[in-house]
Amino acid sequence: MSDTASGATLRFAIVGAGPAGFYTAEALSAQCPGCRIDIIERLPTPYGLVRSGVAPDHQSTKTIEETFEQIARQPNVQLVGNVEVDRDVSLDELRGFYDAIVLASGSPHDAPLDVPGAHLRGVFGASAFVGWYNAHPDHAGLAPDLDHGGAVIIGNGNVAIDVARVLSKPVDALTTSDIAHHALGALETSGIADTYIVGRRGALDAKFTTAELRELGELDDVVAVADPGQIPGAVGDDLPARERRIKAKNLECLQAFAKADPESKARRIHLRFNSMPVAILGRDRVEGIRFERTTLVDGKVVGDGTTYDIPCGLVVSAIGYRAKAIGGLELSASGDRLVNDEGRIDAQLYVVGWLRRGPSGKIGTNRGDGEAIAERIGQEIAPAGKPGFDGLRQLLMARGVKWTGFSDWKTIEAAEKAAARTGAPRQKFASVADMLGLCAPASQAASA
Ligand code: NAP
């Protein structure tokens, strides 16, 4: 490992082993040759939302893990798994060990659905619901009841589409994915024939991307339908050309959905617009949801006072995410990111990814984030003779924290691959204890 001109090594900690964390590690390695990087991750598994957010039937998206593995295998990069900041080590302690810390831990919480009845059984946030079908250990025990006729997904983003697709797809199409075993079992006996995706704005204001919308029209045994009265004939020409092109492509899909025969297939995904949730209905569990019809006034959603109900046994609220105030740091007013100045929080602390900019963009969007912050760190941070992992290791050992490394992850991964259903890439562990049972965590090895 070559050192800097001053003879000291730059030591960085990145908190969060998702796309933003890995892209930052890659960029820091290039920007600061000779630096040491520890990627601290609270789970024994890396890859963040690529593992636990990307839909299981979108396996091709997950091939990005190969790129992240290459980054993890760089000699100056180390994964420190099963270590949670605020639980096992404080941010202040990390400040003592590292020259700079980059926070890349995303926005893990669901935005609150602020309507009466949101506490009822059968109402879930998308982060929890997606985590459930993706075997995230935090949500593996969700056990949603799918033994009823209908589900409503609130929100008009790609997460809403993912959830509707996974709920509606024939189970045969999911067995060759890495969907959680418990979710596959629940979906096998699901009675859900009608899933509604409901947005509070108009059809052309939805945040869906065209590829995701188009896919809804191409599913086996599922028809996507829309109310012709809610789908405009054309995109307004008052928009910038690029936006008009994107909306026109979405409109093409929606117009096809408006012509589709709801009875042509066994299951339906209904797209409804200009409707905001005002109450979840039911006694102790959800039995329906009440929407108020809306119009847009100066870009703002305004109810028109008229309502309608959709009977359902499941509500998934896919209305965005909120950040966690790691280390007691200040959240933005919207609560979906940390207060920061172009990724800088203070002289030693930086932030990237959703935690910097809010929950937006694709996986690749985080590459630019990582590069920008690495360039900034390269200009602003000088080595101060910090101990880096030597300091962290001593602290973790003193606290009895069993951290895991990348080789432990590969052991877990090998066991998941070995347990996979025929044709499936893996069968994910949904319990941290089960994962740890497979590896000899580094702290044990170090103290042996
Ligand atoms: P999103 O795209 O921001 O969509 C959130 C939706 O929730 C919007 O329709 C928003 O409506 C609505 N909403 C917010 N608050 C609401 C409320 N109180 N009541 C009713 N509706 C409300 O967020 P997302 O779907 O969670 O996606 C997050 C990011 O991940 C996005 O960048 C997305 O593209 C990306 N992603 C990509 C893929 C993919 O590429 N396949 C898959 C999943 C996620 P307003 O517009 O009115 O605010």
Side-chain angles (χ1 to χ4, degrees), residues 31-46:
Q31 183 74 35
C32 307
C35 71
R36 306 284 319 207
I37 300 168
D38 295 331
I39 307 180
I40 299 169
E41 164 60 49
R42 80 181 178 99
L43 294 175
T45 52

Side-chain angles (χ1 to χ4, degrees), residues 58 113 154-160 162 200-201 205 207 209 212 277 301 318-321 354 359-362:
H58 280 182
L113 179 63
I154 306 169
N156 265 184
N158 284 336
V159 171
D162 280 350
R200 61 183 175 179
R201 295 173 191 269
D205 304 313
K207 292 182 172 166
T209 48
E212 277 58 38
V301 176
I319 61 170
Y321 299 107
W354 280 11
S360 63
K362 299 198 153 204

Side-chain angles (χ1 to χ4, degrees), residues 420-443:
R421 292 176 295 274
T422 307
R426 69 182 73 231
Q427 180 165 311
K428 288 176 178 171
F429 286 99
S431 141
V432 169
D434 288 349
M435 294 180 208
L436 294 181
L438 280 175
C439 10
S443 61

Side-chain angles (χ1 to χ4, degrees), residues 306-389:
T306 68
T307 63
Y308 69 95
D309 298 347
I310 301 178
C312 62
L314 173 73
V315 170
V316 180
S317 167
I319 61 170
Y321 299 107
R322 293 291 177 266
K324 190 171 166 208
I326 190 167
L329 293 166
E330 188 185 352
L331 293 179
S332 66
S334 54
D336 63 357
R337 68 199 76 177
L338 291 175
V339 171
N340 71 90
D341 170 17
E342 303 280 326
R344 185 179 187 273
I345 295 175
D346 62 33
Q348 210 184 350
L349 201 56
Y350 298 83
V351 60
V352 289
W354 280 11
L355 197 52
R356 178 187 76 77
R357 64 176 194 274
S360 63
K362 299 198 153 204
I363 292 167
T365 312
N366 297 297
R367 177 168 234 151
D369 250 27
E371 286 168 358
I373 223 62
E375 194 179 337
R376 191 160 185 182
I377 288 173
Q379 289 161 3
E380 294 178 353
I381 300 292
K386 302 265 182 174
F389 186 66

Side-chain angles (χ1 to χ4, degrees), residues 245-267:
R245 271 199 309 277
I246 292 170
K247 285 185 189 290
K249 284 191 198 157
N250 277 8
L251 183 58
E252 230 176 83
C253 301
L254 292 165
Q255 285 172 337
F257 299 167
K259 287 185 192 135
D261 173 6
E263 301 308 322
S264 59
K265 294 186 182 175
R267 289 180 169 182

